Amino acid sequence: MTPKLQNAGIDAWLVRFSERIDPAVQPWINAFCQDCRAAFGKLLVDLVPSYTTVLVQYDPGQLDDTGARRMIERVIERMAPDGSMGSGRLVEIPVWYDPSVGPELERIAARNDWTPQQVADAHAACEYQVFALGFVPGFAFMGMVSPRLAMPRLATPRQKVPRGSIAIAERQTSAYPQQTPGGWNLVGRTPVVLFDAERIPMTTLEPGDRVRFTPISRDTFIKLGGDTSPVEEVPQ
Amino acid sequence: MSLAAALRVEKAGPLALLQDGGRFGVRHLGITQGGPMDWHAAGWANALLGNDPGAAVLEVAIGGLALVAEAELTLSLCGADLSASVNGQQLRPWQRFTLQAGDRLAFGMPRCGIRAYLGACGGWRGVPALGSVACVGREGFGGHKGGGRPLDDGDQLQPEARSQPLHLFSCVPPEYQPDYGQPAELGVIPGGQTAFFDGASLYEAFNAPWQVDTRADRMGIRLTGPELVCHHPGMVSEGLAAGAIQVPPDGQPICLMNDRQTIGGYPRLGTLTPLARARLAQCQTGETVRLQATATERARREYLGAQKAIGSFQGQ
């Protein structure tokens, strides 16, 4: 693994591990982030891991770009991918798959000549990796969904995607931590609180985690505090 | 506990937000930075009161704000000239001033620059979230009353510390006051996908005049001009530094600012220097700016130099 460093201003380097999305890169990114935190200590301002890269932001008052580059190169030389494939924790997210909260179950089903139930089963059958958090606090970009479930974003985004919505865009999947406008295809809803600033840790998911979606019934969803209000319809 | 004297919001105006140095160490969770768009002016507003450069200031964008002092208050004003006045008397920026109980501080039309910074002794009191009071409405964090809420009519702003006699200087020395009336030359450190832009586009990027678009806010400021063409085979979203210049398929650059999304998937031309970010934050819609390629070490030296000037003044 020989990542490339790219300039990202007076106080940041972008470390590129691969040109394409590749789940095999994830353990290296996890290891790099951990080692970087240890190596930089207080000089580290922020670390932003994404699918194939990590943005390393440091204190420019204490380090110049050459010094920071040398520290990053030293971390890279010594790092080893952390543990077995997939690395991180396995997190289970209970999901109520139903057309009332996941209207695009039908859209995806129609394309495959499937029933909505088959779409739900296929989505719950795989283990996913959290590649990055972004968009809104706690929104986890996960992949890769089966090519048969892959679906382009909606032509007209919804003004309000309800909190907890489970969604698909191309070969990515996610769960909306809060109500927000959004254009992903909705297939279900989770009662899990994905972000809470008062909680430690604040996010249910973190980059490097593995995720499995577990189908639950409407009753269980309600019992776990889920909100059954319907989804805004959008013309497509 | 007795509270320091307050400033009452008579008229909230379109956009006045409490901002401290920003929210850090949380970008990997998808949480944005926040903080003053023009860190330079905000730093001076704090220095005039002996505050830390990252103490909470009120960022007043465009004007339309009116405040009334409920007791004697020492404040500072730096950054844009938004036709500020005290009881109708003109108040120039880049100075410290004292309000008496009942005095009315009002902001009008922008004359030069668009963002003014109002400092208070010890900084303005806010409700911290994740270690910062920086107000980010989209995320619901920070602000003077928490939850990322902006100012409302009738709200109170409270300084963290009581006013006390301050050092010799009550004005920012003229050599440190930027002239926002001068054409903006914005330093850019090339990087990211620079190599994937075609030659003509790179020439245009650093030689053509650019106009500041109406689509400009605390997330990003769009520039319009010649269409920049980037031949990148397929970008994957990656972390965005403050000042990153993204070029979407329409070829018109977007300079990412304090409230930017944490990751993004458009090719990047480079990164604005910190001083360029501060300068761009003061540009009005339609204003012409130019991009100038610069070296990292030079940009860092200029940034540390500007910070040192603010810091040494603060220490007097």
Side-chain angles (χ1 to χ4, degrees), chain A residues 6-10 14 16 21 45-51 53 55 60-61 63-65 133-134 137-138 195 197 202-203, chain B residues 24-31 130 141 189 192-193 236-238 240-241 262-263 268 271 274 296-297 299-300 303-304:
Chain A
Q6 289 181 330
N7 183 297
I10 67 155
L14 188 83
R16 183 179 305 286
I21 296 180
V45 172
D46 256 306
L47 264 186
V48 194
S50 187
Y51 291 88
T53 54
L55 181 74
L63 268 180
D64 65 6
D65 60 327
L133 260 57
F195 181 83
M202 292 176 276
T203 61
Chain B
F24 294 96
V26 288
R27 211 79 62 246
H28 64 292
L29 304 176
I31 296 164
L130 312 178
F141 291 137
I189 302 165
Q193 286 71 33
V236 178
S237 290
E238 46 196 48
L240 295 170
T262 54
I263 61 175
R268 276 172 292 111
T271 312
T296 311
E297 193 41 43
R300 176 173 175 265
Y303 170 66
L304 296 180

Side-chain angles (χ1 to χ4, degrees), chain A residues 89-117:
Chain A
R89 308 172 297 159
L90 176 64
V91 184
E92 290 206 6
I93 304 280
V95 177
W96 175 38
Y97 290 99
D98 189 84
S100 69
V101 289
E104 275 77 56
L105 276 175
E106 279 157 354
R107 184 180 174 211
I108 299 169
R111 212 186 51 175
N112 286 293
D113 231 344
W114 279 357
T115 62
Q117 184 60 50

Side-chain angles (χ1 to χ4, degrees), chain B residues 117-134:
Chain B
Y117 292 88
L118 186 66
C121 292
W124 294 106
R125 181 163 301 181
V127 180
L130 312 178
S132 161
V133 300

Side-chain angles (χ1 to χ4, degrees), chain A residues 3-4 68 78 103 109 113 115 175 179 228 233:
Chain A
K4 289 187 202 123
R78 292 181 191 167
D113 231 344
T115 62
Q179 179 182 293
T228 58
E233 285 187 27

